[in-house]
Amino acid sequence: MSEVKLFSGTNSLQLAEKIAKYYGKRLGDLTMSKFSDGELSPSFNESVRGCTVFLIQSTNPTADNLLELCLMIDAAKRASAYKVCAVIPYYGYARQDRKDRPRVSIAAKLIANMLTSAGADRIMTCDLHAGQIQGFFDIPLDHLNGSAIFVPYLERLNLDNMIFAAPDVGGVARARAYAKHFEVEMVVCDKHRKRANEVASMQVIGDVEGKDVILIDDLVDTAGTLCKAAQILMEKGAISVRAIATHGVLSGKAYENIENSVLKELVVTDTIPMRQTSSKIRVLSVADLFAKAIHAVTGNTSISALFI
């Protein structure tokens, strides 16, 4: 078996250090230099020849994070690494997964091509915005599920009147999976957008009277949808509304929106570093989940046990 080495890009250093600790190895020594014009240049400060290399980096914007990862993959391959696995806790540009209107890019497929062309032998990620993105790759992809982190947390809340809600029609399957596990009902918040990040109208399909509602989503960006859904759910008679989202993108006025909302709390993971703290935001770590997945991959064992 080849030696396993873990390295991190600059965007995911804190998470990578946690993953390395749970895995039982130190994080490898890598330098990411930058020219005065912003050009990036990674270099490994230790040999990776014949090693199975895991490169940890979320590819959320800015685009430098994606380019960093591609350059790290290329450097590892040129340094004669045996295998290179790109560990991408948050797969950026995943919201552009199809042509939903004329003359637009399918960015999720483009990113898949870039990572493969750079030399990645395997991809490991968590809660893709659209499951079909797995099919954009011709190399193995391990798609971890955030439910392994959130279900134990929800069980500790001991809510007697829990019900799950999808913030939009696209999230129905995700919310239904949680509802099935806890053997409770679910509702749907049907929304209509005029443009990206702006909800024009929303209505609730289902009964939330006297319920503790858990909104389930894969990511929260400006938090406009979540906050509007929470407001409508409370108006429909919900006792409380919490939201769970694997990836806390939290751009624009997201923190302000969440603080001023009726949400009791928003629970996210550390796939993306928080820009600031908030009394309503709780962060759970996916480090142990990824460390176990890396152990499974390097030991050629199944990762099925990591799913709930």
Side-chain angles (χ1 to χ4, degrees):
M1 182 182 295
S2 63
E3 183 180 358
V4 176
K5 293 193 174 185
L6 282 67
F7 297 88
S8 174
T10 57
N11 186 50
S12 299
L13 185 57
Q14 290 182 332
L15 175 57
E17 288 174 342
K18 293 178 185 176
I19 293 173
K21 181 179 178 180
Y22 279 111
Y23 184 76
K25 292 183 73 77
R26 67 172 180 82
L27 204 57
D29 187 8
L30 178 144
T31 300
M32 185 64 66
S33 303
K34 183 177 286 190
F35 292 92
S36 61
D37 65 350
E39 184 177 323
L40 300 166
S41 176
S43 61
F44 292 93
N45 300 323
E46 59 188 81
S47 176
V48 295
R49 182 178 297 273
C51 296
T52 299
V53 176
F54 288 83
L55 304 174
I56 304 167
Q57 175 85 314
S58 285
T59 59
N60 55 301
T62 62
D64 280 359
N65 297 318
L66 171 63
L67 187 57
E68 260 192 30
L69 179 58
C70 289
L71 292 172
M72 289 161 60
I73 293 170
D74 183 67
K77 296 296 284 189
R78 294 179 187 278
S80 300
Y82 172 61
K83 294 286 185 182
V84 178
C85 176
V87 180
I88 310 172
Y90 171 65
Y91 186 91
Y93 294 94
R95 285 174 284 185
Q96 302 175 61
D97 62 305
R98 64 195 184 282
K99 285 191 70 174
D100 55 354
R101 60 188 188 277
R103 298 176 295 281
V104 296
S105 167
I106 305 179
K109 172 58 177 171
L110 174 63
I111 303 307
N113 290 344
M114 290 173 64
L115 293 168
T116 305
S117 296
D121 297 293
R122 188 181 202 97
I123 303 294
M124 185 179 292
T125 188
C126 182
D127 281 351
L128 288 166
H129 185 65
Q132 66 264 24
I133 293 173
Q134 296 174 75
F136 292 176
F137 289 89
D138 294 323
I139 57 177
L141 186 147
D142 300 301
H143 187 204
L144 305 182
N145 197 314
S147 62
I149 306 297
F150 295 125
V151 166
Y153 175 76
L154 292 173
E155 289 174 341
R156 292 193 297 269
L157 292 178
N158 292 317
L159 298 174
D160 294 328
N161 300 303
M162 184 163 59
I163 189 172
F164 290 91
D168 53 39
V169 175
V172 168
R174 192 176 294 110
R176 183 180 290 120
Y178 279 86
K180 182 179 179 181
H181 177 83
F182 284 94
E183 297 181 341
V184 298
E185 297 300 318
M186 65 163 286
V187 300
V188 180
C189 300
D190 185 30
K191 69 181 178 185
H192 168 66
R193 290 189 188 274
K194 283 186 175 180
R195 58 185 65 87
N197 296 123
E198 184 178 323
V199 179
S201 63
M202 181 179 289
Q203 61 183 358
V204 177
I205 303 172
D207 182 20
V208 296
E209 183 76 32
K211 301 290 186 178
D212 292 299
V213 183
I214 311 293
L215 278 160
I216 302 292
D217 213 344
D218 65 306
L219 65 86
V220 52
D221 192 351
T222 63
T225 297
L226 280 182
C227 293
K228 189 176 184 66
Q231 181 65 46
I232 293 174
L233 289 166
M234 290 296 288
E235 292 172 358
K236 295 290 184 179
I239 298 173
S240 67
V241 181
R242 290 175 171 84
I244 282 177
T246 306
H247 310 296
V249 178
L250 300 175
S251 65
K253 295 183 177 180
Y255 287 92
E256 180 182 339
N257 291 339
I258 292 165
E259 283 293 333
N260 296 331
S261 74
V262 298
L263 280 171
K264 190 173 183 66
E265 70 174 348
L266 167 65
V267 186
V268 297
T269 73
D270 55 354
T271 57
I272 299 173
M274 295 291 100
R275 290 188 290 113
Q276 64 188 71
T277 58
S278 169
S279 61
K280 286 192 175 184
I281 300 176
R282 180 185 294 270
V283 181
L284 305 180
S285 183
V286 293
D288 188 38
L289 178 64
F290 273 97
K292 288 177 179 176
I294 293 172
H295 268 297
V297 168
T298 56
N300 295 316
T301 59
S302 174
I303 65 169
S304 297
L306 303 180
F307 295 90
I308 291 179

